[in-house]
Amino acid sequence: MDAIKKKMQAMKVEKDNAMDRGDVCEQAAKDAKVRAGKAEEEVAELVKKAQQLEVELDKTQEELLTTTEKLKEKENSLSSAELEVNALNRRVQSLEGDLETCEDKLLLATNKLDKAATAADDSDRMRKVLESRAQQDEERMGKLEEELKGARNQAEDADKKYDEVAKRLQQVEGELERAEERAE
């Protein structure tokens, strides 16, 4: 019995030890779960950061492409501007040649202008003569218009007298008809 008691006590101690180990294991499991939860949160944050970095990488690559395209456009613009400057330099040289030609033509035109100025002076004198004649003609026309007004007034007076005579004639004819009717 002693052996059984010892055995029972040993089993009880073993059981207590096993329970202690179980509690320790449960506590370790809880701690492990907490660490695992934290690790999962960290993994989720790292995944989120990785996604953000990928998005930023995509944006940066797009910006790089856009900037590269703009750079190519600027280089093309620069090339075309250089070509335009060269063309303008050629145009300036051509215009300088044209300027010399124009200066020669200007000299000829100045000579012609002097001749034309002389002709204009002659024309001006002739204009003054014609204006004088036109003024005389206007004065004559004014007199003729006055005479025309007088003649129109006389014609209107004559028309009025004619109308009065025509009315009187109608009255007399009417009276004549009546007198003839009475005479009959």
Side-chain angles (χ1 to χ4, degrees):
M1 247 307 209
D2 271 338
I4 294 178
K5 275 187 185 179
K6 281 184 183 180
K7 184 98 172 163
M8 288 285 275
Q9 277 183 342
M11 284 176 90
K12 189 176 179 186
V13 169
E14 240 179 82
K15 177 188 144 202
D16 287 339
N17 286 340
M19 290 293 276
D20 288 341
R21 280 194 310 259
D23 288 342
V24 168
C25 285
E26 282 180 16
Q27 187 61 38
K30 286 180 184 176
D31 291 344
K33 282 184 182 179
V34 169
R35 284 194 310 269
K38 288 181 181 177
E40 286 178 2
E41 288 176 7
E42 288 178 10
V43 168
E45 286 179 23
L46 290 174
V47 168
K48 189 175 178 181
K49 285 182 181 178
Q51 289 174 345
Q52 288 176 349
L53 288 174
E54 286 177 5
V55 168
E56 289 178 12
L57 177 63
D58 290 342
K59 286 181 183 177
T60 305
Q61 286 176 343
E62 288 176 10
E63 289 175 3
L64 177 62
L65 288 173
T66 305
T67 306
T68 304
E69 289 176 11
K70 287 181 181 177
L71 178 62
K72 286 180 183 177
E73 289 175 7
K74 295 293 183 185
E75 288 173 350
N76 290 338
S77 297
L78 178 62
S79 297
S80 64
E82 287 174 351
L83 291 174
E84 190 175 334
V85 166
N86 291 336
L88 288 173
N89 284 336
R90 288 191 297 274
R91 179 79 176 131
V92 165
Q93 290 173 351
S94 172
L95 288 174
E96 287 174 349
D98 291 347
L99 177 63
E100 290 176 12
T101 305
C102 287
E103 286 175 347
D104 293 340
K105 289 180 180 179
L106 177 63
L107 182 62
L108 291 173
T110 303
N111 292 337
K112 288 181 182 178
L113 179 63
D114 289 341
K115 291 178 184 176
T118 305
D121 288 342
D122 293 343
S123 294
D124 192 41
R125 278 187 231 110
M126 183 58 112
R127 179 188 55 86
K128 288 179 181 176
V129 168
L130 291 175
E131 283 178 353
S132 173
R133 286 184 188 167
Q135 188 175 5
Q136 290 171 357
D137 289 345
E138 284 180 13
E139 289 173 0
R140 230 178 309 148
M141 283 175 45
K143 290 176 184 175
L144 290 174
E145 285 177 359
E146 289 296 321
E147 291 175 7
L148 178 63
K149 283 181 185 176
R152 280 188 183 156
N153 288 338
Q154 286 177 354
E156 286 175 6
D157 290 342
D159 282 344
K160 286 179 186 175
K161 287 179 184 176
Y162 173 78
D163 289 341
E164 290 174 6
V165 168
K167 283 181 184 177
R168 196 176 263 180
L169 177 63
Q170 283 178 350
Q171 288 174 353
V172 169
E173 284 178 353
E175 289 175 5
L176 177 65
E177 283 179 20
R178 278 183 257 151
E180 285 176 357
E181 286 177 5
R182 277 189 250 154
E184 288 176 7

